[in-house]
Amino acid sequence: MRKEKTCIPAPAVDALVREVIARVADKWTMLVLGALEEHGTLRFTRLAEFVEGVSQKMLTKTVRQMEADGLVTRTVHPVIPPHVDYALTPLGRSLGAAFCGVWKWAEKNHAKVEASRKAFSKKHSG
Amino acid sequence: MRKEKTCIPAPAVDALVREVIARVADKWTMLVLGALEEHGTLRFTRLAEFVEGVSQKMLTKTVRQMEADGLVTRTVHPVIPPHVDYALTPLGRSLGAAFCGVWKWAEKNHAKVEASRKAFSKKHSG
DNA sequence: CCGGATCCGGTAGGATACTG
DNA sequence: CAGTATCCTACCGGATCCGG
């Protein structure tokens, strides 16, 4: 049943890939990525506005993680009031491009998902 | 700075899309999706083997969620011992295809991510 | 025996207040 | 304005039991 030529990685690097997937397959990571891709360089507060619903703690944690992973740059301007800019690195942009398919999928299919959800909850209530 | 023609959804459906993204951008969801895409129909225990590191509880929760979202079918064979098959729906397969780009990205760039991580931790220790 | 529901301890995450 | 510290909740994971 194994598909011959899709997107399955070689067995050797499988664990590494899974680890990276587990890291980037995070809703805040994806949403930060999307916000930075759409709006370009953003300051912390502005980023928080676009990634609606995120707490400061999670946003801080997420951008730090993304910085560590080489997905974003974090530029601190030593002025008062503080000014910190976040921007995608080339690596981050390439990940954004890779996620593009998922965005388009969500855009196209969110109605189906919602319909399935409704049918499922109805089936479980009845 | 807004990019004119990438993968940015229309403003109106933006919230819906974000909601779906937040739902599917989950590491277990992605890994279950990958496992089912690679190996086809799987029983619960077998699925747990391929999605290494997942607890039964989280696997149950994840597949139930995916079932509710219309991504997988859950077929209970009323036999003893119990036999439950999980398989991707067409919608699930289409999401798998969308995630394909992310997998390929991870396959290609995991070394860069790891290098960035090392450099970052070194910079923070020194 | 398999799938999963339950109880319980640990930890990740949200809200708020405070510092530079 | 950006980030930290604190508290507190809710969810996550492991072990165990149960129903079939």
Side-chain angles (χ1 to χ4, degrees):
Chain A
M1 195 55 181
R2 195 183 216 281
K3 299 168 85 175
E4 49 292 340
K5 192 58 187 148
T6 54
C7 53
I8 310 303
V13 297
D14 195 53
L16 275 306
V17 171
R18 292 254 280 270
E19 197 274 336
V20 173
I21 289 288
R23 188 75 87 97
V24 300
D26 170 73
K27 81 174 176 177
W28 297 133
T29 300
M30 278 205 64
L31 293 175
V32 167
L33 196 67
L36 288 177
E37 195 180 33
E38 180 172 12
H39 302 281
T41 302
L42 290 173
R43 309 179 53 164
F44 185 86
T45 304
R46 199 121 168 84
L47 187 54
E49 288 168 12
F50 287 119
V51 185
E52 211 163 343
V54 73
S55 62
Q56 301 101 313
K57 186 201 273 186
M58 282 315 294
L59 184 55
T60 300
K61 183 184 174 185
T62 301
V63 293
R64 285 291 217 278
Q65 180 109 51
M66 292 174 77
E67 186 194 5
D69 289 351
L71 302 176
V72 302
T73 56
R74 180 173 170 273
T75 309
V76 180
H77 302 281
V79 298
I80 293 179
H83 189 125
V84 182
D85 282 327
Y86 294 95
L88 291 181
T89 63
L91 190 62
R93 275 194 296 276
S94 70
L95 179 57
F99 268 129
C100 194
V102 181
W103 284 97
K104 284 192 274 197
W105 180 91
E107 194 177 354
K108 184 182 176 188
N109 295 295
H110 64 85
K112 291 182 187 174
V113 170
E114 212 163 345
S116 291
R117 254 179 242 179
K118 287 209 180 85
F120 186 80
S121 63
K122 177 180 291 186
K123 188 175 68 176
H124 274 241
S125 64
Chain B
M1 195 55 181
R2 196 185 213 281
K3 300 169 84 173
E4 49 292 341
K5 193 58 187 148
T6 53
C7 55
I8 309 303
V13 297
D14 195 53
L16 274 307
V17 171
R18 291 253 280 269
E19 198 273 338
V20 173
I21 289 288
R23 189 75 87 97
V24 300
D26 170 74
K27 81 173 177 178
W28 297 134
T29 300
M30 277 204 65
L31 293 175
V32 166
L33 196 67
L36 288 177
E37 194 180 35
E38 181 171 10
H39 302 282
T41 301
L42 290 174
R43 311 183 48 164
F44 185 86
T45 304
R46 198 124 167 83
L47 187 54
E49 289 168 13
F50 287 119
V51 184
E52 211 162 343
V54 73
S55 62
Q56 301 104 313
K57 187 199 280 185
M58 281 316 293
L59 185 55
T60 299
K61 183 184 174 185
T62 301
V63 293
R64 284 290 218 276
Q65 180 108 57
M66 292 174 77
E67 186 194 4
D69 289 352
L71 301 177
V72 303
T73 56
R74 180 173 169 273
T75 309
V76 180
H77 302 281
V79 298
I80 294 179
H83 189 126
V84 182
D85 282 328
Y86 294 94
L88 290 181
T89 63
L91 189 63
R93 274 193 295 275
S94 70
L95 178 57
F99 268 129
C100 194
V102 180
W103 247 289
K104 283 191 274 198
W105 180 91
E107 193 176 355
K108 184 182 177 188
N109 294 296
H110 63 86
K112 292 182 185 176
V113 170
E114 213 164 344
S116 291
R117 254 179 241 180
K118 287 208 180 85
F120 185 81
S121 62
K122 178 181 290 186
K123 187 176 67 174
H124 274 241
S125 63

